[in-house]
Amino acid sequence: MFSTGAIHPVNFIQAMSTALEMSSKGISSHHCRTAIIVKHIGEELNLTQNDMQVLIYASLLHDIGAAANWDEKHNIVHVDKDESIFNHAEAGYNLLKDSAQLSPLSSAIRHHHDRFNGGNPSGLSGYDIPLVSRIIHVADRIEVSIMSDCHIFPQREKIIVAIRDNSFFDPEIVDVVSGFALKDYFWLDIVNPSYQSRFLRGLDYFGKLKFSAHDIEQIAHIFANVVDATSSYTATHSKNVARIAELLAHMYGFSEEEQQLFRMAGLLHDIGKLSIPNEILDKPGNLNFAEASIVVQHPYYTLRVLEQIEGFDMLAIWASRHHEKLNGAGYPSKSPAGISAWGAA
């Protein structure tokens, strides 16, 4: 059950980072792998604990501005010279800049594609670009340069040479990376899926700060905005669902804390929709079988994202069962009211 004030920031940010990785084919790990790289760089630079916290948290969310737009997702992976690369960075900044909880990450995200040699919309260049942004820029390019269809070791020299020869990147950070890039464990940490969970668990050393229920709800509003931006038909959908859920919970006599839980479940119930391409969400006519198959997966991903957050067990179940029906005709469990082994744990 949800416990007020008991949510560790990285626990929630990790789950929301997972949501940014969703696609119609599953969940990738770009943000987590980028965070692993920046941790190596930050430690080599002897950053303070506070700077490391901002660096890693920002890297886990650095592409939040592209989450609602699949064309933008494609561009940020395949294009670094196109001027459109700055769009999602600015969008991410605007999403977070007014957040009491996440505003410290906004500047880092805003400038994470700023080029060291200048020519940026921000007008910044060189060492005027925030250090955390310069680190994320290098780490981001390393991660997207790794090909999944061959072993990492034959790739590493080519990746480092390409970054070293590119004036977009801070040469001092490139020197730092070049220094430890000869170490096998650096590259194996990036591509080893089992290390990713260990890496995330290890981030608990970032102080004793906890997110309160109010903090979580404020961040949930941000992600509700991201989800609702995926389609022109859903501009305020999640917030409206949250309001109605709270009202119904009040009518049925649930406590104020439970009403808040319903409200947050409403805000986050469609987080799994980030796995659905925009062209399917905005298709004016009927969906074909393949398209419909993609749509019905979104409650499953809502569960898998929210269940990562300690204390969100009940919220995750409520949110992920929003397409179940009492007669068992809903999805994805296809059993009465969604009562099955699926989502019960």
Side-chain angles (χ1 to χ4, degrees):
M1 192 64 176
F2 183 70
S3 178
T4 302
I7 304 298
H8 194 290
V10 74
N11 191 223
F12 191 79
I13 289 173
Q14 171 194 342
M16 295 301 100
S17 181
T18 301
L20 304 182
E21 301 281 9
M22 290 188 296
S23 71
S24 59
K25 296 181 180 179
I27 299 176
S28 62
S29 52
H30 169 63
H31 288 81
C32 184
R33 284 166 42 146
T34 300
I36 290 171
I37 298 170
V38 303
K39 183 173 183 288
H40 279 285
I41 298 173
E43 289 175 343
E44 195 73 17
L45 292 173
N46 293 314
L47 296 188
T48 66
Q49 181 171 318
N50 182 69
D51 286 343
M52 283 291 288
Q53 186 169 6
V54 171
L55 174 64
I56 293 177
Y57 287 4
S59 64
L60 286 170
L61 297 177
H62 69 274
D63 286 337
I64 187 174
N69 188 314
W70 279 54
D71 289 337
E72 195 75 19
K73 286 182 182 180
H74 176 83
N75 286 341
I76 61 179
V77 172
H78 299 286
V79 182
D80 195 29
K81 297 180 180 179
D82 194 299
E83 296 303 308
S84 66
I85 197 70
F86 299 106
N87 294 343
H88 76 282
E90 187 68 16
Y93 167 76
N94 287 324
L95 280 167
L96 303 183
K97 64 182 176 64
D98 297 323
S99 167
Q101 302 78 24
L102 301 182
S103 60
L105 314 182
S106 62
S107 179
I109 289 173
R110 185 181 205 179
H111 300 289
H112 80 272
H113 279 295
D114 278 15
R115 300 155 182 169
F116 192 79
N117 62 345
N120 305 303
S122 67
L124 302 181
S125 63
Y127 298 108
D128 290 332
I129 301 168
L131 175 59
V132 290
S133 301
R134 285 181 268 138
I135 295 172
I136 294 172
H137 194 189
V138 172
D140 177 79
R141 283 301 102 185
I142 291 174
E143 200 290 318
V144 299
S145 299
I146 296 173
M147 296 179 291
S148 60
D149 56 352
C150 61
H151 195 276
I152 186 61
F153 286 169
Q155 303 181 57
R156 54 186 176 182
E157 182 178 356
K158 182 179 179 180
I159 291 172
I160 293 300
V161 169
I163 292 175
R164 180 175 289 281
D165 291 345
N166 194 327
S167 59
F168 286 179
F169 306 112
D170 180 344
E172 292 187 8
I173 294 175
V174 174
D175 284 343
V176 167
V177 174
S178 300
F180 60 68
L182 296 175
K183 301 176 180 179
D184 294 348
Y185 72 82
F186 168 69
W187 299 99
L188 294 174
D189 278 351
I190 300 170
V191 299
N192 178 6
S194 65
Y195 176 74
Q196 292 170 22
S197 58
R198 177 187 170 191
F199 162 76
L200 291 166
R201 288 196 304 271
L203 298 182
D204 284 345
Y205 69 81
F206 282 144
K208 298 183 181 298
L209 173 68
K210 301 290 184 180
F211 278 170
S212 68
H214 175 74
D215 292 335
I216 294 294
E217 185 170 353
Q218 293 307 302
I219 299 173
H221 274 277
I222 293 173
F223 280 86
N225 288 336
V226 172
V227 172
D228 289 350
T230 58
S231 173
S232 58
Y233 301 112
T234 57
T236 59
H237 173 67
S238 296
K239 291 181 180 179
N240 290 340
V241 169
R243 292 190 191 100
I244 295 170
E246 178 187 17
L247 176 62
L248 292 173
H250 174 74
M251 290 172 58
Y252 277 90
F254 285 91
S255 69
E256 288 188 8
E257 185 177 16
E258 289 169 327
Q259 290 174 42
Q260 183 183 36
L261 190 61
F262 274 107
R263 194 163 63 239
M264 286 193 284
L267 288 170
L268 296 171
H269 78 283
D270 266 346
I271 195 79
K273 194 186 286 183
L274 295 177
S275 68
I276 307 174
N278 300 98
E279 60 266 24
I280 294 179
L281 292 173
D282 283 332
K283 184 175 179 179
N286 293 330
L287 301 180
N288 60 38
F289 179 79
E291 293 166 339
S293 297
I294 293 173
V295 170
V296 299
Q297 73 182 11
H298 79 272
Y300 166 85
Y301 283 120
T302 290
L303 175 73
R304 294 309 180 215
V305 168
L306 297 181
E307 70 179 359
Q308 297 178 54
I309 306 171
E310 185 178 356
F312 264 40
D313 307 59
M314 188 59 67
L315 187 152
I317 292 173
W318 289 351
S320 61
R321 291 178 176 174
H322 67 276
H323 280 293
E324 301 294 353
K325 296 182 179 181
L326 293 174
N327 64 0
Y331 62 86
S333 71
K334 301 187 186 302
S335 59
I339 303 301
S340 69
W342 181 87

